[in-house]
Amino acid sequence: MAWQPSPESLNTLAACLKDSLSGFDKTAQKNAELMLTQAKSSPDINNYLVYLFSSETPPSGLQCSVQDYFLVRSAAAIMLKNNIKTGTRQIPESSLSLIKMAIPMGLQDKNAQIRNYSGNIATEMIRRGGIMSWPELLPELLKMIGNESGQISNEAQEGAMAAMAKICEDNTKMLERELNGERPLNFILPKLIQATKCTLPKVRAQALTAINVFTPRKSQAMLNCVDDLLQHLFALASDSNNDVRRQVCRAFVQLIETRPDKLQPHLPDLVDYIITQQQSDDEDLACDAAEFFLAIGEHEHLWHALNPYISKIIPVLLKCMVYSPEDIALLGGASDDEDEDDLEQDIKPQFAKKSSARTANANGEGSADAAQNGNAYEKLASMDDNLEEGEIEDFEDGDDGNPDERWTLRKCSAAALDVFARDFRGPVFESILPYLTTNLKHEDWPYREAAVLALGAVAEGCIDIVTPHLPELVPYLISLLNDPEPVVRQITCWTLGRYSAWAADLADGTQKQLYFEPMMEGILTKMLDSNKKVQEAGASAFANLEEKAGKRLEPYSRPIIQQFVQCFKKYKDRNMFILYDCVQTLAEHIGPVLAQPNLVNELMPALINRWNTVSDQSRELFPLLECLSYVAMALNDAFTPYAEPIFIRCVNIIHQNLEASLALANDPALDAPDKDFLVTSLDLLSAIIQALDPTKSAKLVQQSQPAFFELLTFCMEDPTDEVRQSAYALLGDCAKYVFEQLEPSLANIFSVLLKQLDLDSILDEDIDSGFGVVNNACWSAGEIAIRHKSNMAPYVPELFQRLIEIITNPGIPKGVTENAAIALGRLGLGNGELLAPHLANFAEEFLNSMDEVDPSDEKATAFRGFTAIVEKNPMAMEKSLLHFFTSIARYRDLKLRSETKSGLHEDFQKALGIYRQIIPQFDQFFGQLQPQDQQTLRTTYVF
């Protein structure tokens, strides 16, 4: 007998579902959520949810208004999808059969939202169970979309197409993989292309949406269909529906990267088409069209083909860079809002920046990456890191939010102008010069603002052509910092930041006074503007100026710090984040100058006041901890008075986070702890341990409660790559500065570290971040090896094997193999006899890696260890001896005065002496070296 619901249970469940979506009665909502959680344990719960969701009218006995019943159906669909997402395997087969029967009915529902929910459930079923868990679904959807019988309703066609688009987005790789000898996409893609001819515009648009999931991917199916797809795209280019044309533009954008050869013959017509679409009244369509020029300008080869059309394209880009009347209304006009508190939704989500890898070649990148464009036209990072493959967010791209906070036609056009300026240089500036002349002093601020934006956009590409005009332009821009319109002041900060390198590089003192100092002072002043967005733009521009000026800011450090301190007093939460960036960028570039007592006494109280204000749960901790890391490194021992409470709090944050992870393992209903708290706390601990006098660092580590290295070992085993990467960086720093405290914990630490060096443990999908962890693990192993020396013996066999696997694997990034080679060489310090029998198996790979490493203490100690191994088994070097001699000859940096460098010179001398004794025709062998290498060896060493 078919399953039937109990009327009483159905009524109770419906009431709970309705209340769970009620925003008016919070108590009823909370009670409903508790009851629904309990109901999940019922074996029939999914049957009830399907029943309610798929019934277009309230079941008999269910007293419900039309509006309330829609809420019930919606809540049932959401709960059903979540149940499938979290526990497909626990759902009985009978319930799965009911779901499979209900979904096609839901896709035909009169209500568009219910059709949408049906598609969500269908894609979740495929994602969790695979295509073969429901093999009938895709053919059935394609049959509904094609409407071959002519009996399928418009709603059903649209519902099926929307579901198919979701399945394509959420299961891209699954559709491309071979299944029972066939790839599903080979069958689906031609059908989707055919669906673009449907008479229903929603079906055409959704078909293109689904196709555009695959246009950036070089699958065999796309290769087979690309010509047919292009013909359909050209036919759809004049479609009356804006959404269809929008997807046509997106397809062209994606084909630039994957099939430029197919687009190039059609470029003249495409340029005209895109220019027309970019001037559409539909901003979403216009923005997608503008992306075409941005993408083609960034293409390695195709940009050259645009040269004949630059004079056509640039005026359109400039026209589209003016704020639209709608955007002006949303901006809210001029306002002094400095005293208004930020709303929670106005504060961008903060994430910990990825911990830097410890590299053999130190070329640290600047910290003010966000300041490079100051949000003038950056694509704002959305919180899509948590989305699964192909999953898209529920809101539409073109929301009605503040135009400063979203990707707009204006920003996209400015970004395209920036790219063209770098591509074509002179011709672009010539194209915009008349526009600048007319609009820079325009009486209407939107045109004034757009001209300043254009001038900033071409800064990088046209700097040589703009430079002669800058003595006139820069003072005018500085005057615009006092423009009555905040939006003009805002963009002027950004543009001045873009030209700050020119001002900073001025060698003449008079010119510096004329241009650099007024620019710096003007931007600093705007950091305390009466408008919060101008403050933000000023801070971002100043971080950019700090990057460009570097140490040349040292004479101005006091007034800069004083201004920062005023900002700490005045800023609301949102702008505090960019202020941290300003402080850390200054610390990074002027370093020890910041340790002057008068500067420390001004800056640190402001930072510590904020440190005491921000709670352990606030995401503001991420940029604050990162900022303090840079400050600690700059102050070195001058950071000591502030170190202990900060160190203790970081340890406590790590402890709380690890405890929360353990609690989550026992109770999955709990919220997952945010691992960014771990990353930033570990990084700050690293900075403090490096900054302080080692005896003071050792004391902090020793007094830590819970035990410092127990916590660190847990972090080294954390499932999150970024946490492990920071943990291994901290481990290496502990080896360098507090080895005595680390030593008793090495047995436990090596049991974890050796597992991390197993390349099989890196998952394919996490390969890039996984290599970052392996890199730091190698580096920390090397730092331990040079201090633990012969006590490393118990770990040498496995550690040697792991390091060999890394340096002999051509698929490993160069930086990782270099750190592995350095660690391998350092193992020879005290363990030469253990490694000597294997020397012939790794000598060449070691020397190859060392050829790429710049002179440093790491390289010197690695060569000392390697030479110690060579001394134990000199005959094993037969195939690599010439390479070894060449490496000795070309080793630079030996003249630097340090114990390591002078010791290496002696080690090289000893190795050369050994080979002079054991090679019968040594001079003949020596003659095989390059003449300059022979000369260097004879000059530097005694023969």
Side-chain angles (χ1 to χ4, degrees):
M1 182 179 166
W3 179 86
Q4 289 295 319
S6 151
E8 185 182 346
S9 299
L10 197 66
N11 272 298
T12 306
L13 179 61
C16 287
L17 288 167
K18 179 175 78 71
D19 288 345
S20 72
L21 291 185
S22 169
F24 302 107
D25 188 339
K26 295 294 180 187
T27 305
Q29 187 176 18
K30 191 75 179 168
N31 290 336
E33 286 169 358
L34 285 170
M35 290 183 72
L36 290 174
T37 303
Q38 292 167 3
K40 281 185 182 180
S41 59
S42 166
D44 280 355
I45 180 63
N46 294 302
N47 295 7
Y48 279 95
L49 294 172
V50 170
Y51 189 84
L52 285 169
F53 160 62
S54 61
S55 302
E56 284 199 45
T57 54
S60 176
L62 190 62
Q63 300 301 314
C64 224
S65 69
V66 173
Q67 189 175 355
D68 283 350
Y69 187 58
F70 172 69
L71 280 180
V72 170
R73 295 183 74 192
S74 299
I78 293 167
M79 187 172 176
L80 181 60
K81 182 199 168 184
N82 289 335
N83 287 354
I84 293 167
K85 185 174 184 176
T86 56
T88 311
R89 291 178 184 172
Q90 284 76 50
I91 299 175
E93 195 58 46
S94 57
S95 296
L96 289 174
S97 297
L98 277 177
I99 295 170
K100 291 173 184 178
M101 285 171 58
I103 293 305
M105 292 162 55
L107 292 173
Q108 301 176 55
D109 201 276
K110 297 292 183 191
N111 187 297
Q113 192 63 51
I114 297 298
R115 296 199 297 272
N116 192 40
Y117 286 135
S118 299
N120 289 341
I121 296 167
T123 193
E124 202 60 55
M125 290 276 284
I126 296 296
R127 186 177 1 192
R128 300 300 158 190
I131 293 170
M132 296 313 294
S133 69
W134 194 355
E136 307 85 9
L137 176 64
L138 298 182
E140 188 170 351
L141 290 178
L142 291 170
K143 200 178 287 182
M144 289 169 73
I145 293 164
N147 190 18
E148 291 169 15
S149 65
Q151 304 299 308
I152 308 295
S153 68
N154 290 355
E155 290 88 354
Q157 288 180 68
E158 290 174 359
M161 189 65 252
M164 180 61 83
K166 284 189 181 74
I167 289 167
C168 290
E169 287 161 353
D170 289 3
N171 304 280
T172 313
K173 289 180 184 173
M174 196 187 297
L175 294 173
E176 290 177 339
R177 284 192 204 110
E178 196 166 294
L179 198 65
N180 296 338
E182 289 185 19
R183 298 178 194 273
L185 189 59
N186 291 346
F187 175 71
I188 292 169
L189 193 56
K191 297 281 188 184
L192 293 175
I193 294 172
Q194 198 62 31
T196 63
K197 291 181 175 178
C198 180
T199 55
L200 301 172
K202 283 187 179 176
V203 172
R204 296 198 299 276
Q206 288 281 12
L208 284 169
T209 301
I211 291 166
N212 280 336
V213 172
F214 304 103
T215 45
R217 303 170 68 85
K218 297 177 180 179
S219 63
Q220 187 60 46
M222 184 54 70
L223 193 68
N224 296 342
C225 294
V226 69
D227 290 321
D228 190 28
L229 173 61
L230 271 174
Q231 292 309 310
H232 282 74
L233 290 174
F234 292 138
L236 291 164
S238 56
D239 197 282
S240 58
N241 184 275
N242 285 355
D243 287 338
V244 173
R245 295 203 307 282
R246 188 180 175 195
Q247 293 299 332
V248 168
C249 290
R250 285 189 174 183
F252 285 140
V253 168
Q254 289 173 167
L255 287 169
I256 287 169
E257 191 56 44
T258 53
R259 294 309 304 266
D261 57 313
K262 295 289 183 182
L263 293 186
Q264 188 152 3
H266 305 284
L267 214 48
D269 292 334
L270 277 171
V271 167
D272 288 340
Y273 175 70
I274 294 296
I275 283 174
T276 304
Q277 302 310 309
Q278 192 172 337
Q279 296 177 86
S280 165
D281 292 336
D282 182 328
E283 168 142 352
D284 292 334
L285 168 57
C287 190
D288 276 314
E291 291 268 8
F292 181 85
F293 291 130
L294 180 56
I296 208 166
E298 289 176 334
H299 191 271
E300 191 178 357
H301 306 295
L302 206 53
W303 68 267
H304 295 280
L306 282 185
N307 199 25
Y309 315 108
I310 283 297
S311 57
K312 258 188 190 182
I313 298 167
I314 299 295
V316 178
L317 295 179
L318 292 169
K319 179 184 172 185
C320 294
M321 283 161 57
V322 182
Y323 274 115
S324 67
E326 293 81 6
D327 282 347
I328 292 169
L330 287 166
L331 284 167
S335 66
D336 294 343
D337 61 355
E338 59 183 330
D339 295 323
E340 294 175 17
D341 286 330
D342 293 327
L343 300 174
E344 192 174 342
Q345 62 264 33
D346 291 336
I347 301 170
K348 295 177 196 171
Q350 292 296 308
F351 304 97
K353 293 184 182 176
K354 185 176 269 192
S355 170
S356 59
R358 300 303 201 254
T359 57
N361 292 323
N363 56 347
E365 295 176 8
S367 63
D369 50 352
Q372 293 304 312
N373 54 31
N375 191 32
Y377 47 74
E378 68 182 353
K379 277 198 173 179
L380 297 173
S382 63
M383 293 175 64
D384 61 358
D385 290 347
N386 296 322
L387 299 179
E388 299 185 43
E389 182 214 327
E391 188 175 352
I392 55 173
E393 292 167 287
D394 290 336
F395 55 82
E396 288 295 318
D397 296 346
D399 59 39
D400 293 326
N402 190 309
D404 278 351
E405 304 298 327
R406 57 187 170 88
W407 189 237
T408 61
L409 172 62
R410 172 180 169 275
K411 290 181 184 177
C412 187
S413 299
L417 180 62
D418 182 351
V419 170
F420 284 166
R422 282 182 271 135
D423 288 341
F424 300 104
R425 302 186 182 274
V428 170
F429 188 67
E430 288 163 18
S431 293
I432 72 164
L433 193 54
Y435 181 86
L436 295 176
T437 307
T438 306
N439 292 291
L440 270 173
K441 298 184 179 180
H442 201 289
E443 60 181 24
D444 293 335
W445 74 258
Y447 293 94
R448 211 161 55 241
E449 193 275 347
V452 176
L453 171 59
L455 184 58
V458 301
E460 188 177 330
C462 297
I463 187 64
D464 293 340
I465 307 105
V466 181
T467 294
H469 303 275
L470 287 178
E472 182 185 348
L473 285 169
V474 165
Y476 176 66
L477 287 172
I478 291 169
S479 76
L480 285 181
L481 290 173
N482 297 312
D483 195 280
E485 177 54 53
V487 183
V488 176
R489 301 200 298 273
Q490 191 180 340
I491 201 62
T492 303
C493 287
W494 175 78
T495 294
L496 282 171
R498 298 271 286 181
Y499 287 103
S500 59
W502 168 79
D505 289 341
L506 292 169
D508 181 76
T510 306
Q511 287 198 316
K512 254 188 165 38
Q513 286 182 336
L514 278 173
Y515 305 112
F516 177 66
E517 290 179 6
M519 179 188 283
M520 178 178 64
E521 185 181 349
I523 296 172
L524 268 176
T525 303
K526 288 302 102 182
M527 289 179 69
L528 286 171
D529 193 89
S530 56
N531 180 277
K532 289 191 289 189
K533 285 183 179 171
V534 180
Q535 293 173 4
E536 181 184 14
S540 182
F542 197 77
N544 202 348
L545 183 143
E546 289 173 320
E547 284 277 342
K548 303 296 196 307
K551 289 189 176 298
R552 286 165 290 196
L553 287 178
E554 288 178 4
Y556 313 103
S557 51
R558 182 112 195 255
I560 292 171
I561 292 295
Q562 287 172 333
Q563 191 76 338
F564 287 174
V565 169
Q566 291 305 310
C567 292
F568 273 113
K569 291 177 183 174
K570 187 172 188 175
Y571 278 10
K572 302 302 178 186
D573 292 342
R574 176 189 169 110
N575 285 347
M576 202 63 73
F577 298 131
I578 188 70
L579 180 57
Y580 294 138
D581 197 46
C582 287
V583 173
Q584 75 182 50
T585 308
L586 186 70
E588 182 182 10
H589 286 89
I590 70 170
V593 172
L594 210 57
Q596 294 171 11
N598 60 334
L599 298 182
V600 174
N601 293 337
E602 293 207 49
L603 175 63
M604 287 309 297
L607 277 172
I608 294 302
N609 180 55
R610 198 65 195 174
W611 169 260
N612 291 331
T613 305
V614 177
S615 78
D616 285 357
Q617 288 73 44
S618 170
R619 296 182 75 86
E620 188 184 331
L621 262 186
F622 306 153
L624 175 54
L625 289 168
E626 186 183 11
C627 175
L628 283 168
S629 298
Y630 280 89
V631 171
M633 296 292 285
L635 299 190
N636 283 321
D637 213 39
F639 194 74
T640 301
Y642 314 99
E644 186 173 353
I646 292 175
F647 193 96
I648 290 169
R649 186 175 177 188
C650 285
V651 168
N652 286 337
I653 290 169
I654 291 168
H655 184 220
Q656 289 164 18
N657 200 283
L658 292 172
E659 292 265 288
S661 290
L662 286 173
L664 179 68
N666 295 324
D667 182 1
L670 293 173
D671 290 336
D674 193 327
K675 296 302 179 70
D676 284 348
F677 287 105
L678 281 181
V679 173
T680 45
S681 298
L682 289 164
D683 291 346
L684 181 49
L685 290 176
S686 272
I688 292 172
I689 284 170
Q690 292 174 72
L692 303 192
D693 179 275
T695 56
K696 295 168 186 170
S697 293
K699 187 179 176 187
L700 289 175
V701 168
Q702 207 155 4
Q703 292 177 344
S704 166
Q705 287 298 327
F708 186 84
F709 292 109
E710 279 184 31
L711 289 181
L712 180 55
T713 307
F714 278 119
C715 292
M716 287 162 54
E717 293 183 282
D718 194 273
T720 308
D721 285 345
E722 287 76 14
V723 173
R724 296 200 311 282
Q725 183 167 330
S726 289
Y728 281 105
L730 176 54
L731 174 62
D733 289 329
C734 288
K736 287 176 78 169
Y737 300 101
V738 292
F739 184 72
E740 192 179 325
Q741 285 65 41
L742 168 64
E743 197 169 15
S745 304
L746 284 177
N748 290 335
I749 280 171
F750 265 106
S751 68
V752 177
L753 190 153
L754 290 168
K755 286 180 203 161
Q756 182 59 68
L757 292 179
D758 182 355
L759 294 178
D760 291 338
S761 67
I762 302 178
L763 301 174
D764 286 348
E765 56 267 31
D766 299 325
I767 199 157
D768 290 335
S769 55
F771 281 140
V773 183
V774 172
N775 180 79
N776 283 3
C778 289
W779 174 76
S780 61
E783 290 297 332
I784 294 169
I786 58 172
R787 291 162 181 86
H788 211 36
K789 295 190 166 61
S790 60
N791 292 319
M792 289 288 293
Y795 319 114
V796 165
E798 189 175 350
L799 183 55
F800 167 74
Q801 190 57 43
R802 297 280 176 244
L803 295 173
I804 283 289
E805 286 169 4
I806 293 170
I807 68 171
T808 56
N809 187 327
I812 306 293
K814 186 163 72 80
V816 181
T817 58
E818 288 169 2
N819 264 329
I822 287 171
L824 181 54
R826 287 171 150 190
L827 267 187
L829 296 169
N831 300 284
E833 286 185 359
L834 292 174
L835 295 171
H838 310 285
L839 180 58
N841 297 329
F842 70 85
E844 191 61 27
E845 281 80 6
F846 172 84
L847 294 169
N848 284 335
S849 293
M850 288 297 103
D851 288 344
E852 301 292 323
V853 178
D854 295 332
S856 62
D857 273 345
E858 277 104 336
K859 183 171 183 175
T861 50
F863 260 121
R864 291 201 72 181
F866 180 74
T867 309
I869 301 167
V870 170
E871 287 173 19
K872 302 293 182 187
N873 189 6
M875 301 304 291
M877 291 294 290
E878 183 182 358
K879 291 181 180 175
S880 303
L881 194 55
L882 275 174
H883 194 165
F884 184 39
F885 275 35
T886 303
S887 296
I888 294 173
R890 296 180 185 178
Y891 193 93
R892 301 288 177 260
D893 207 25
L894 284 172
K895 292 175 184 173
L896 292 178
R897 292 176 185 171
S898 85
E899 188 182 334
T900 300
K901 308 287 171 46
S902 59
L904 178 58
H905 184 273
E906 290 168 14
D907 293 344
F908 281 162
Q909 178 69 69
K910 190 174 177 184
L912 291 169
I914 289 171
Y915 284 110
R916 183 160 188 85
Q917 287 180 349
I918 64 174
I919 297 176
Q921 274 85 37
F922 182 80
D923 290 338
Q924 187 178 337
F925 168 79
F926 193 76
Q928 296 176 58
L929 293 167
Q930 295 287 330
Q932 68 269 25
D933 294 332
Q934 295 182 44
Q935 180 62 35
T936 302
L937 288 171
R938 290 189 190 281
T939 307
T940 312
Y941 299 95
V942 179
F943 276 87

